[in-house]
Amino acid sequence: MPGPTLDPIATDTTLPARADVVIVGGGIIGVSAALFLAERGIDVVLCEKGMPGAEQSSRNWGWVRVMGRDEREIPLAIEALKIWDTLDARVSGETGFRRSGILYISENERDVTNRDAWLAMARPYGVDSVQLGSDITEAMMPGAAIRYEGGLFTPSDGRAEPQKAVPAIVAGARRAGARILTGCAVRGVERAAGRISAVVTERGRIETSTVIVAGGAWSRLFLKGLGIRLPQLKVRNTVLRTGPVSGGPDGAGATATYAYRKRLDGGYTIADGAANLHAIVPDSFAFFRDFQPARKAEGEAVQIGISAQSWNELFEIGVVPLDRPGAFERHRVLDPNPDSRRALQALDAAANALPFLRETKVQQIWAGLIDVTPDAVPVISAAEDVPGLTIATGFSGHGFGIGPGAGHLVADLVTGAKPIVDPTPFRLSRFLDGTPITIAPPV
């Protein structure tokens, strides 16, 4: 089933002979890194096997938030929000960003207690999140037919349009001097004296000493070809969008059974945060122990089963020589079949609470594959065993909102600039040096 339609994207056609930096992957992390590097005068080329933003970067909910994040992500999420504030002007385009607030709706005292605990942890970072009572929560949800226990509300959090953001950032990056190549899969890298010397694409070589892997759900397979063990799996989530409808909350919110986000076109994006499927693939067994803490913490929020992905990946686990086409060329865009039943159940639950949603029709249902790590915190890190390689992946469903901040941090790491935040929590070595895997409690 085709995914959402992105705004038009103009890209480059000529493969350069060399570049200071080559970025593998054109999601929001990769294109943001390209923007910040180009602004610093770095000769940067981004190679995308399909089209920029065609996978999870255009298929997510469109939330831009600090609220509810793992403590390790909060500083970067705060910086990302600051960047979102100026991003439209920076790229001379429309990302759809609005600081319209996000509401975590509390259905019972347990929800309130969990959110009190998160707020106590996050308050030292200067968040403006507040616990609301029933009356104010009701007022935050115009037309609501259900009276809730309360809600955790962050007025400075916002929303943006996933189908607009990447195209706008691509245009800004190209104006700044970045070159963006589409339909150009990177098969792997070449090394000389132990250090990266070139990338090998399906169109030929690009000499470079620095590579950024921002391949989302593809990063694990790419890094495997370099002998790097990245514990990362894929989780499918389904999203739908409605047609325009009058009234209703202007921002975004969620309960245990539905999430909503107002769109610029007047409709709503609807999803269920607990309707996630991990298809059993060879990596499920390779990383079984790594993900056991996450499996216990997530409970029924992630279901495990068999899908077409299971069959496809069974034949894509081997490393392919660089002179032959591989999985990156056979599968240009990950476009999994959506779970329409669960998506419509989420819409029905949302409409029970917000009856005005019954006045609109479903326009589209799609799914995306989320790249997840064992602790649900991304890897933004140099690869110590491969000098010249930096990794930015595993954003675990949090990547869209934090994307511009992550792109800035990647550019800092590559250029040796003072990092926008401390990168230590995002180091790859935490999965390799015996550091205990910690999972943030539910919010």
Side-chain angles (χ1 to χ4, degrees), residues 185-188 200-203 218 221 315-316 318-332:
V186 177
R187 294 175 176 174
V200 178
T201 80
E202 62 182 299
R203 298 194 208 168
W218 291 99
L221 183 60
F315 298 97
E316 303 288 7
V319 176
V320 178
L322 300 186
D323 61 351
R324 289 168 46 195
F328 308 121
E329 290 152 78
R330 286 191 288 271
H331 306 287
R332 297 287 178 177

Side-chain angles (χ1 to χ4, degrees), residues 183-363:
C184 185
V186 177
R187 294 175 176 174
V189 305
E190 292 179 348
R191 284 179 268 191
R195 186 176 179 88
I196 289 173
S197 58
V199 298
V200 178
T201 80
E202 62 182 299
R203 298 194 208 168
R205 297 171 71 256
I206 304 174
E207 293 184 4
T208 187
S209 60
T210 305
V211 172
I212 297 166
V213 176
W218 291 99
S219 298
R220 150 63 177 166
L221 183 60
F222 188 89
L223 294 172
K224 184 179 180 180
L226 299 178
I228 296 173
R229 185 181 188 274
L230 171 72
Q232 178 177 290
L233 296 175
K234 306 178 188 72
V235 171
R236 184 194 70 185
N237 186 257
T238 299
V239 183
L240 69 76
R241 66 179 177 90
T242 75
V245 62
S246 59
D250 187 51
T255 70
T257 54
Y258 69 86
Y260 63 84
R261 194 254 312 165
K262 188 69 174 283
R263 301 170 57 91
L264 281 188
D265 62 13
Y268 279 85
T269 293
I270 304 291
D272 179 354
N276 303 295
L277 173 70
H278 168 63
I280 298 174
V281 296
D283 278 345
S284 306
F285 302 98
F287 300 136
F288 180 81
R289 289 188 178 180
D290 301 81
F291 279 86
Q292 275 302 95
R295 178 62 182 155
K296 292 177 181 178
E298 290 291 341
E300 296 181 359
V302 179
Q303 297 80 49
I304 296 177
I306 301 292
S307 74
Q309 179 191 344
S310 307
W311 180 256
N312 290 336
E313 292 198 25
L314 183 63
F315 298 97
E316 303 288 7
I317 60 175
V319 176
V320 178
L322 300 186
D323 61 351
R324 289 168 46 195
F328 308 121
E329 290 152 78
R330 286 191 288 271
H331 306 287
R332 297 287 178 177
V333 176
L334 289 172
D335 187 27
N337 292 324
D339 186 343
S340 298
R341 180 182 64 85
R342 290 293 295 267
L344 293 172
Q345 286 177 347
L347 177 60
D348 190 56
N352 285 337
L354 301 166
F356 67 86
L357 287 172
R358 300 200 185 280
E359 301 171 10
T360 188
K361 294 183 179 180
V362 174
Q363 299 294 314

